[in-house]
Amino acid sequence: MAADKVRKKLLGEYLVEQGLVSEEQIQRALEEQKKAGSRLGQTLIDLGFLSEEQMIIALARQLDLAHIDILSYNLKPDVVNLIPEKIARRYELIAIDKMGDSLTIAMSDPLNVFAIDEVSQLTRSRIDPVICSRTKLLKIFDKAYNLNLSDTAEPESIVSTDKYTRHQSEDKEVPALGGAEIIDLVNEILQLSVQARATDIHIEPDEQEVRIRCRIDGFLMELKTYPKEVQLPIISRIKVVSGLDISEKRIPQDGRFKFLFEGREIDLRVSTLPTVLGEKIVLRVLDQAMVVVDMDKLGFLPENLAQLQDLIHRPYGMLLVTGPTSSGKTTTLYSALNTINTIEKNILTVEDPVEYRLKMINQVQINPRAGLTFAAGLRSFLRQDPNVIMIGEIRDMETAEIAIQSALTGHLVLSTIHTNNAPSTITRLIDMKIDAFLVASAVTGILAQRLIRTICPGCKQPFTPDADVLHGLNLEPKAEGYTFYKGAGCDLCGGTGYKGRIGIYEMMIVNNAIRELILRHASTAELTEEAKKHGMKTLREDGFQKVLNGVTTVEEVLRATAEEAKG
């Protein structure tokens, strides 16, 4: 609600503070306001103390709302008609955009909470107000309702906008873009990115153009470039739909919105960053359909999958998943929770942030400013009678201690932690000042993982690697009887030879032998050797098995496990 955004400072005080009017002018306007019964802002405009444009900008900043030029906005009949003309004229507002359950309305008076409440109930939508000129809004009503925009409206569906793409051989002036054209342009960027399986969309300003790059299978690739003239309209459009301040360009902002793609809603998390060439925007693509998958589709070798299934079906103990950022840890944990999620179990998670909603699971997002940290959330969880607790990340000793105690008192605890491999996680916990005997008693298993690209099925072809490569990787005896594959590059994979990703894993089961080493404060190397005696494959060994299975390439495994060779 807009009312939530209203600052405690009165409008008159704010205008004086900003140097737009004097205290004497405010007093004069207040006297006139009592006589006419009009709003203070309109009275100041009528008296000529400031322009309507100055008032709009001041209100936008005070209320932390966006402002638009309604006359240049290409309105859509199906959106406009969500609000009856009588209501629109009474409250001086108009519907300009609909996305999911959010309805964006342009208003001359965003302080009118009664109007916002009535429109919200009428349309059954969450209202996102923006400010516009009252004079221009009154001009648009006849066109919007009487003419119904039938002669000028563009369809809301995504259309090709290649006419805005910069061509190296052309130097033509780019036409001014209306509201509907920018909506189509942004929709095209989103649709092309999601179709390409992007996990992140980067909108980056350059000196002469705007570059769109997408992270696909872990690598950034250029999607398109557009002329510099569309930079501000694109940024403004994204800011409006994600609830950000369109006038603030000096500090980073964060927001989110939903995008409808092929009948399903996709969450987009928005981050803006001011640079010397303008604001850069990164959109994190959160596709619910892509995160919770069956565990047998994550790339586990049969023996590792059986071990993991055993660990997550135990009534208590701690399972830790480790790896760098973007190594698929969240996907693994969500898939594990989805596997054990039944009506008989009370599952609680504390995350930063909650990126995906899981059915029948109680998810909590941390809020450090309000005092809700991982540790505080865990303390509350223990009073909620949980069976399973998932912690987004163990970052400090306090969180680690509570997690360990939870695992020792009859709860199954799943969490992530940042280490290079499974055995070094033990050392990391002890470095956090957790007693070795607590670590040995609570931790039941540690899973290290990385994501590697898989060979594109459209251009997969056999090849013979150099004998020196096989010999150097100790693969020479194992390679006999195996066919190696690589991707030649095709349209399906964008010429990379890879399409999709899969995990490689290092599973260390904490058995009695490992517990004895932990109690003796054994080194990571000693823990590794003991774990390998009991069947643990390292990340690189797991990856090479997938090479022999024809899933990926030697080069991809080497890239993902470079630190293992250094160790």
Side-chain angles (χ1 to χ4, degrees):
M1 283 295 187
D4 294 332
K5 297 184 177 181
V6 177
R7 302 179 188 271
K8 293 181 179 180
K9 194 181 296 295
L10 297 174
L11 176 60
E13 294 174 348
Y14 181 78
L15 294 174
V16 171
E17 183 183 273
Q18 297 297 309
L20 295 171
V21 294
S22 65
E23 291 187 7
E24 291 77 14
Q25 289 173 322
I26 289 292
Q27 291 302 319
R28 169 79 186 281
L30 288 171
E31 293 172 3
E32 291 295 326
Q33 181 191 19
K34 291 178 182 177
K35 298 176 185 177
S38 59
R39 299 190 303 270
L40 176 61
Q42 188 60 47
T43 303
L44 288 166
I45 295 170
D46 294 340
L47 290 173
F49 291 156
L50 77 169
S51 68
E52 188 177 31
E53 185 66 23
Q54 287 176 312
M55 176 60 71
I56 290 171
I57 293 174
L59 270 175
R61 288 178 177 172
Q62 187 200 19
L63 304 178
D64 195 22
L65 293 176
H67 65 276
I68 66 167
D69 182 356
I70 193 65
L71 289 180
S72 66
Y73 210 95
N74 201 332
L75 302 172
K76 299 183 284 291
D78 56 335
V79 176
V80 168
N81 288 325
L82 291 173
I83 303 176
E85 181 179 359
K86 183 178 179 181
I87 300 293
R89 289 185 183 272
R90 181 199 304 166
Y91 292 124
E92 295 179 359
L93 54 83
I94 195 166
I96 62 173
D97 192 31
K98 184 77 165 68
M99 182 170 290
D101 64 348
S102 297
L103 178 65
T104 303
I105 61 172
M107 307 178 67
S108 64
D109 180 16
L111 291 170
N112 192 337
V113 294
F114 299 106
I116 293 174
D117 284 342
E118 184 167 339
V119 172
S120 178
Q121 293 178 14
L122 180 70
T123 60
R124 296 183 179 179
S125 302
R126 181 174 65 84
I127 303 302
D128 293 324
V130 298
I131 304 174
C132 68
S133 159
R134 178 174 182 268
T135 304
K136 294 179 180 179
L137 184 61
L138 295 177
K139 286 181 181 179
I140 206 75
F141 276 137
D142 286 340
K143 176 185 175 183
Y145 285 99
N146 295 343
L147 298 180
N148 204 27
L149 308 175
S150 57
D151 298 328
T152 57
E154 294 286 341
E156 189 178 359
S157 58
I158 297 172
V159 297
S160 174
T161 50
D162 281 52
K163 59 183 176 181
Y164 306 125
T165 305
R166 179 177 295 278
H167 299 281
Q168 299 296 332
S169 60
E170 297 179 359
D171 192 23
K172 297 180 181 179
E173 183 178 352
V174 178
L177 302 181
E181 293 170 307
I182 285 299
I183 290 173
D184 290 337
L185 181 58
V186 172
N187 282 350
E188 181 188 62
I189 293 171
L190 298 179
Q191 184 179 32
L192 291 176
S193 301
V194 175
Q195 282 177 338
R197 300 175 296 106
T199 55
D200 300 274
I201 306 167
H202 294 243
I203 301 174
E204 303 171 320
D206 210 335
E207 290 186 355
Q208 302 296 327
E209 61 192 10
V210 181
R211 181 178 295 104
I212 311 297
R213 292 195 295 168
C214 295
R215 189 172 296 279
I216 301 169
D217 294 335
F219 287 78
L220 278 174
M221 301 178 184
E222 186 172 290
L223 182 72
K224 268 193 173 184
T225 58
Y226 296 97
K228 188 72 173 178
E229 289 83 351
V230 304
Q231 176 179 317
L232 287 178
I234 288 175
I235 292 172
S236 296
R237 167 64 180 167
I238 292 174
K239 281 185 169 183
V240 166
V241 297
S242 53
L244 303 182
D245 184 353
I246 197 172
S247 64
E248 182 56 76
K249 302 177 176 65
R250 301 165 297 174
I251 60 175
Q253 298 185 70
D254 295 297
R256 64 192 307 160
F257 66 96
K258 294 181 184 294
F259 175 66
L260 193 63
F261 177 75
E262 294 183 352
R264 69 180 191 272
E265 281 189 343
I266 293 175
D267 283 308
L268 294 162
R269 210 168 71 208
V270 181
S271 172
T272 73
L273 181 70
T275 74
V276 293
L277 297 175
E279 288 181 284
K280 172 182 176 176
I281 289 185
V282 175
L283 300 98
R284 180 80 183 275
V285 181
L286 305 173
D287 188 353
Q288 184 78 26
M290 301 297 291
V291 66
V292 181
V293 296
D294 293 337
M295 292 181 65
D296 57 1
K297 296 179 181 177
L298 295 179
F300 286 101
L301 296 177
E303 57 269 29
N304 283 347
L305 181 59
Q307 291 172 331
L308 182 58
Q309 290 277 12
D310 173 63
L311 291 174
I312 64 176
H313 282 93
R314 293 184 184 183
Y316 56 87
M318 176 184 283
L319 168 65
L320 295 172
V321 181
T322 183
T325 302
S326 300
S327 60
K329 300 187 297 295
T330 299
T331 299
T332 298
L333 286 180
Y334 278 2
S335 297
L337 291 178
N338 195 52
T339 299
I340 61 177
N341 188 15
T342 63
I343 197 67
E344 294 85 8
K345 289 183 178 178
N346 179 20
I347 303 177
L348 302 175
T349 77
V350 56
E351 307 171 56
D352 180 27
V354 174
E355 295 187 348
Y356 300 94
R357 280 291 297 116
L358 303 176
K359 290 183 179 179
M360 263 193 345
I361 292 178
N362 304 284
Q363 297 172 267
V364 176
Q365 180 163 313
I366 72 166
N367 184 356
R369 289 184 179 180
L372 180 54
T373 61
F374 280 117
L378 279 174
R379 288 194 204 94
S380 298
F381 281 7
L382 297 178
R383 296 190 291 271
Q384 292 283 320
D385 187 32
N387 299 104
V388 182
I389 297 172
M390 194 273 270
I391 308 165
E393 182 184 348
I394 292 178
R395 300 175 179 173
D396 51 54
M397 181 180 72
E398 185 180 14
T399 304
E401 283 181 336
I402 301 172
I404 291 277
Q405 292 296 336
S406 301
L408 291 173
T409 53
H411 305 89
L412 177 63
V413 178
L414 312 179
S415 185
T416 71
I417 190 168
H418 282 284
T419 59
N420 288 332
N421 52 49
S424 64
T425 303
I426 298 296
T427 308
R428 170 72 175 138
L429 289 172
I430 294 174
D431 287 344
M432 286 182 172
K433 308 301 182 185
I434 306 299
D435 290 335
F437 78 90
L438 292 177
V439 175
S441 302
V443 179
T444 55
I446 303 170
L447 177 69
Q449 66 178 76
R450 301 289 187 276
L451 289 177
I452 58 171
R453 294 179 293 176
T454 54
I455 301 170
C456 173
C459 57
K460 185 176 182 178
Q461 60 183 32
F463 86 109
T464 302
D466 294 339
D468 291 342
V469 173
L470 297 177
H471 179 72
L473 298 173
N474 296 320
L475 277 178
E476 195 169 19
K478 301 178 186 178
E480 294 181 6
Y482 284 93
T483 303
F484 291 80
Y485 295 90
K486 67 177 181 179
C490 63
D491 292 340
L492 186 64
C493 61
T496 64
Y498 297 97
K499 188 174 187 296
R501 290 192 292 178
I502 201 169
I504 56 174
Y505 303 96
E506 180 178 278
M507 173 65 81
M508 186 177 86
I509 302 298
V510 180
N511 53 27
N512 290 333
I514 297 293
R515 289 191 184 96
E516 289 181 8
L517 289 177
I518 295 173
L519 292 173
R520 294 191 351 237
H521 292 265
S523 67
T524 298
E526 291 176 288
L527 289 168
T528 301
E529 286 304 312
E530 186 64 32
K532 291 175 73 173
K533 289 179 184 178
H534 293 274
M536 182 187 82
K537 283 186 170 64
T538 65
L539 288 165
R540 179 163 287 189
E541 289 170 343
D542 188 88
F544 286 158
Q545 185 60 54
K546 291 177 171 67
V547 171
L548 299 177
N549 292 344
V551 175
T552 189
T553 64
V554 171
E555 293 80 8
E556 187 64 10
V557 174
L558 293 176
R559 178 195 63 79
T561 61
E563 76 279 0
E564 187 174 315
K566 296 176 184 178

